[in-house]
Amino acid sequence: MLTVDFARLPVGPGVRVLDLGCGGGRHAFEVLRRGADVIAFDMDQSELDGVASMFAAMDKAGEVPVGATGEIVQGTALDMPFEDGSFDRVIAAEVLEHIPDDMAAMREIFRVLKPGGTAAITVPSFLPERICWALDEDYHTAPGGHVRIYTLAELSAKLKSIGFTIGPHHHAHGLHAPYWWIKCAVGVNNDEHPLAKAYHELLVWDIMKRPAATRIAESLLNPLIGKSVVLYVRKP
């Protein structure tokens, strides 16, 4: 399940990409499939171990184009172990809402990006996130949880103040917002609730099968209740 639109963030052979806060590696895997060199970066070594195993499995299965590389690096977004201007592209998907000093993380993204490089920044959309916070306090007070809700205007203004040129944006995962509202309504940790389980099964089926009906439905829902907003910015 990709949040970033790679038509707006083109990657390919010879392009060096940082997947900041990679988590399970969904974007890093797609970058590697497209032939670019990707570093999957995260604080959680257990997540990184899983990403490394998938990189190896992809290579063994012949899914990695010749010359493309995938690496893992552990560290914090506030002090990344990379030289200035190391990357052509940076992906920060659902990361900044977890970081108390988000401006410091933005400055680090700006620093490691090459002049002329592009970053894709994704955060939870304001309305779906606000509803989740209202429904269940545990959603945002758990350790490592979300510490703020962004408006698109605030996110854009902060990135612009760092020095980025603000580009286009879009919303994603319109089918996922209702799932999180259900989860928050029944208890965000209550994975066994029948309604939450049923909706989760629907989402898994949709991700696996990608039928036309749900693709159309999501495209219509995204501008209204898309769970994530994706902003593309450029370092001059």
Side-chain angles (χ1 to χ4, degrees), residues 37-55:
D37 301 314
V38 60
I39 290 184
F41 184 81
D42 204 280
M43 291 180 63
D44 188 335
Q45 186 61 50
S46 64
E47 292 272 33
L48 291 174
D49 290 343
V51 172
S53 295
M54 182 58 74
F55 281 161

Side-chain angles (χ1 to χ4, degrees), residues 22-88:
C22 65
R26 57 198 173 101
H27 288 106
F29 303 146
E30 182 64 20
V31 169
L32 189 60
R33 288 189 187 99
R34 290 171 179 259
D37 301 314
V38 60
I39 290 184
F41 184 81
D42 204 280
M43 291 180 63
D44 188 335
Q45 186 61 50
S46 64
E47 292 272 33
L48 291 174
D49 290 343
V51 172
S53 295
M54 182 58 74
F55 281 161
M58 290 171 63
D59 187 43
K60 185 176 181 179
E63 296 181 23
V64 179
V66 175
T69 60
E71 303 176 41
I72 60 168
V73 175
Q74 185 184 30
T76 170
L78 302 181
D79 185 21
M80 292 191 278
F82 308 116
E83 294 183 1
D84 296 359
S86 295
F87 298 95
D88 303 289

Side-chain angles (χ1 to χ4, degrees), residues 14 86 93 97 123 156 164 178 233:
S86 295
E97 69 274 11
V123 298
S156 300
F164 284 107
V233 296

Side-chain angles (χ1 to χ4, degrees), residues 44-232:
D44 188 335
Q45 186 61 50
S46 64
E47 292 272 33
L48 291 174
D49 290 343
V51 172
S53 295
M54 182 58 74
F55 281 161
M58 290 171 63
D59 187 43
K60 185 176 181 179
E63 296 181 23
V64 179
V66 175
T69 60
E71 303 176 41
I72 60 168
V73 175
Q74 185 184 30
T76 170
L78 302 181
D79 185 21
M80 292 191 278
F82 308 116
E83 294 183 1
D84 296 359
S86 295
F87 298 95
D88 303 289
R89 307 280 186 270
V90 174
I91 297 169
E94 314 298 296
V95 173
L96 294 178
E97 69 274 11
H98 295 274
I99 301 175
D101 192 354
D102 60 337
M103 296 287 284
M106 292 177 190
R107 284 190 288 270
E108 275 291 273
I109 293 170
F110 189 88
R111 181 184 68 78
V112 303
L113 193 61
K114 292 180 181 179
T118 305
I121 312 294
T122 96
V123 298
S125 299
F126 178 82
L127 177 60
E129 187 75 350
R130 175 59 71 188
I131 293 172
C132 286
W133 281 45
L135 288 172
D136 189 355
E137 185 178 357
D138 288 342
Y139 173 82
H140 66 93
T141 58
H146 299 179
V147 298
R148 72 179 56 80
I149 303 175
Y150 289 100
T151 63
L152 178 60
E154 178 193 358
L155 180 64
S156 300
K158 285 185 172 182
L159 289 164
K160 186 175 181 179
S161 74
I162 298 296
F164 284 107
T165 299
I166 306 303
H169 73 275
H170 62 86
H171 292 79
H173 311 317
L175 292 176
H176 289 246
Y179 169 70
W180 283 102
W181 296 341
I182 292 168
K183 285 274 288 179
C184 290
V186 303
V188 72
N189 297 312
N190 185 5
D191 294 330
E192 296 304 312
H193 191 279
L195 189 54
K197 286 183 68 174
Y199 202 106
H200 183 264
E201 290 172 3
L202 170 65
L203 291 178
V204 171
W205 172 80
D206 174 59
I207 291 169
M208 298 299 294
K209 301 297 184 180
R210 298 188 63 81
T214 55
R215 294 304 92 212
I216 293 170
E218 186 156 74
S219 69
L220 296 173
L221 289 172
N222 279 342
L224 302 173
I225 59 168
K227 185 70 170 65
S228 299
V229 60
V230 190
L231 180 61
Y232 301 87

